Amino acid sequence: MRPEDKTAAARVLLDMPLFHLLMDELEIAAVNGCVHAQITDHEARAAFAAEVRAIRNFRGKLKFLTEQAKADGKGAPA
């Protein structure tokens, strides 16, 4: 996949309200799972925390792809 294709696909995802809704729901569920895990259940707490980090990293990667194109001058009008 070419970098331009990756940037375009990232923009499509970020422009979809359903994507943000689903990612928000997944993140909230993982945060709640982490907060409400048993005090002694360190494995569950760590798994929920890892899920939150993965969701945030994925969102960050998408935003980075779109901002990188703007920084390269590809997003500027001619």
Side-chain angles (χ1 to χ4, degrees):
M1 185 177 245
R2 296 178 313 162
E4 298 85 21
D5 296 335
K6 287 182 182 180
T7 300
R11 281 193 185 123
V12 168
L13 283 175
L14 290 175
D15 288 341
M16 296 178 68
L18 179 61
F19 171 78
H20 292 288
L21 179 68
L22 291 173
M23 296 309 283
D24 288 343
E25 287 179 7
L26 288 171
E27 186 176 348
I28 290 169
V31 167
N32 285 336
C34 188
V35 169
H36 297 294
Q38 294 295 323
I39 293 174
T40 56
D41 194 357
H42 304 297
E43 292 83 16
R45 192 178 309 279
F48 284 122
E51 187 175 344
V52 172
R53 282 191 300 274
I55 292 166
R56 290 178 180 173
N57 286 339
F58 179 64
R59 283 181 166 177
K61 178 68 175 181
L62 289 175
K63 288 179 184 176
F64 174 76
L65 285 171
T66 59
E67 291 170 2
Q68 184 180 19
K70 290 178 188 174
D72 291 344
K74 296 177 184 173

